[in-house]
Amino acid sequence: MNAVLLSGLLGVVMMFASFLFKTKAPVRILAILGILLLLVVNILESKGVRLFHLDTTGFLSFSSYALFFNSIAITCTLVYFLISSVDMQKVGNHYAEYFALIFFILTGIFLVTSFTNLLMLFLGIEIISIPLYILTGSTKKDLKSNEAALKYLLMGAFSTGIMLLGIAFMYGATGTFDIGKMNIAGLVKSNLLTAGMFLLLFSMCFKVSVAPFHFWTPDVYDGAPNVFTSFMATIVKVGIFVGFLHLFYSAFDQVALQWKLWLAILAALTLFVGNITAVFQQSVKRMLAYSSIAQAGFMLFALVALNETAHEGLLLYAIAYSLATIGIFGVIAKMTDYSFDGFNGLATHQPLVALCVTIFMLSLAGIPLSAGFLAKFYMLKAVIQSGDYLWLVIFGVLMAAVSAYYYFRVIQAMYFKQGPNHFSGISVFEKYVLVGICVLIVFTGLFPNVIFSWLYF
């Protein structure tokens, strides 16, 4: 509860900071100090120290798993602030409001990871979504940004209606919104329950851009400002996935036979659509949009498996995918050309930046010794341990091999081609942040037990 209340309060503070400070540097420092404070209070709560004591019985339950993921989300947001906060100044004049919206989004993520009531799930999703619509269209004079925001709003509103209808059907079938009190096992043949369950499944699939509900993702990610695309494609997506996993593990596990095959098919379709379409992209930014769809396919493995390894794998995926994507978008934000040709000769002009981009791409591709490899390994291992859908594991390995092609295209452009310098410049501090992200990715890939020891001990 510490993080939920404090993140909402920090959002309000950042709103007032817009007229309290005349320059942008104090706003940025205040946001970074705020996210550090948020991380501290969340870690304290995971150790049993609660600053706020509110009765949330029947609505929220802050398990050690949820609190640990919240710490990951906050840490990744801190990294995001460090690498992208300066570039956020270029978006528009409402600098403090951008930070306020991000803190409100974190509040929604904390609700989604800890809900025990379907109404809280709905509130959490909407608290996440509405600020994202605003951030997507924050470049008001850019028609692509306006178009992306409009598409996101219309499609988001449509999926929200589907979610509400699913929740209503679930309530009609079970008589409660509390996922812990739903006697789903005794309602296996209820058409109302089946309809509600699948409507919830489809609406959640839209939120995390699972095929065939992914059609909004490339246009929205491509049209939104670079600094906000990295946030919505990483921390937001993985946060909703944790809520997704919690819903199906806690509420629908008793009727897994009704939906597991559907999820396996959706995972395979998402991997195929994301990877194959990414191969034909000429823009690195748009390629990463389709790549995020493919990564969602791998994260769906956790829902297909629904075991302890799946829970651990999703945490690793949160770290590996978020850090690498935030890092690469931090570089793209400083590029004047987002195409593959724009990266030609980057190793000559900026050798350290090129090395960092290489590590990010290797992690996203799942190359050994990186956090991305371990994350994919845990997902595949979780499905194997479940004893079902071995074909999905084989298909996942094949699609991971396909993904290596378009990730290595960026590395090839940087090291084996020459071209003009399209990199606008980077500060010494931002270089340190990029190197720090690389160290975290490699460290997580080599020593995952350090992370899990924090969770379990």
Side-chain angles (χ1 to χ4, degrees), residues 146-354:
N146 295 338
E147 178 188 353
L150 181 61
K151 286 182 178 179
Y152 200 8
L153 172 63
L154 293 177
M155 295 298 101
F158 184 71
S159 71
T160 296
I162 293 176
M163 174 177 285
L164 280 174
L165 187 59
I167 291 173
F169 282 175
M170 292 295 297
Y171 181 79
T174 63
T176 180
F177 292 116
D178 192 327
I179 61 175
K181 296 179 180 178
M182 292 179 176
N183 184 24
I184 290 179
L187 300 168
V188 175
K189 297 182 179 180
S190 169
N191 292 330
L192 200 61
L193 175 70
T194 302
M197 187 170 60
F198 276 96
L199 286 173
L200 277 174
L201 170 62
F202 295 152
S203 64
M204 294 291 281
C205 283
F206 173 89
K207 298 298 183 183
V208 293
S209 60
V210 168
F213 310 96
H214 69 287
F215 43 82
W216 60 273
T217 308
D219 290 339
V220 171
Y221 285 8
D222 193 32
N226 292 324
V227 290
F228 301 136
T229 300
S230 63
F231 184 76
M232 69 173 71
T234 54
I235 300 161
V236 171
K237 175 176 285 190
V238 182
I240 296 175
F241 254 112
V242 171
F244 208 165
L245 181 65
H246 176 53
L247 173 64
F248 278 77
Y249 186 79
S250 302
F252 301 150
D253 188 38
Q254 298 169 336
V255 289
L257 292 177
Q258 288 196 21
W259 52 264
K260 270 201 171 185
L261 178 60
W262 286 96
L263 273 178
I265 294 172
L266 288 175
L269 180 62
T270 305
L271 284 170
F272 181 80
V273 171
N275 283 301
I276 299 302
T277 315
V279 168
F280 298 99
Q281 301 306 308
Q282 299 304 315
S283 163
V284 174
K285 186 180 179 183
R286 201 166 180 86
M287 177 272 285
L288 289 171
Y290 282 104
S291 161
S292 75
I293 296 170
Q295 302 288 355
F298 263 108
M299 284 186 266
L300 271 181
F301 282 31
L303 278 84
V304 174
L306 279 190
N307 52 32
E308 193 69 22
T309 304
H311 281 76
E312 294 176 354
L314 193 56
L315 291 178
L316 280 174
Y317 228 107
I319 298 170
Y321 171 64
S322 297
L323 288 178
T325 307
I326 288 170
I328 185 61
F329 270 101
V331 173
I332 289 177
K334 294 170 173 53
M335 302 287 291
T336 56
D337 184 357
Y338 305 146
S339 67
F340 283 92
D341 290 339
F343 282 79
N344 287 351
L346 184 62
T348 302
H349 306 299
Q350 294 284 345
L352 181 60
V353 173

Side-chain angles (χ1 to χ4, degrees), residues 107-128:
T107 304
I109 291 174
F110 301 152
L111 292 178
V112 167
T113 59
S114 307
F115 76 95
T116 57
N117 188 293
L118 290 178
L119 294 180
M120 296 306 297
L121 170 64
F122 168 72
L123 287 175
I125 291 291
E126 287 307 290
I127 292 172
I128 293 172

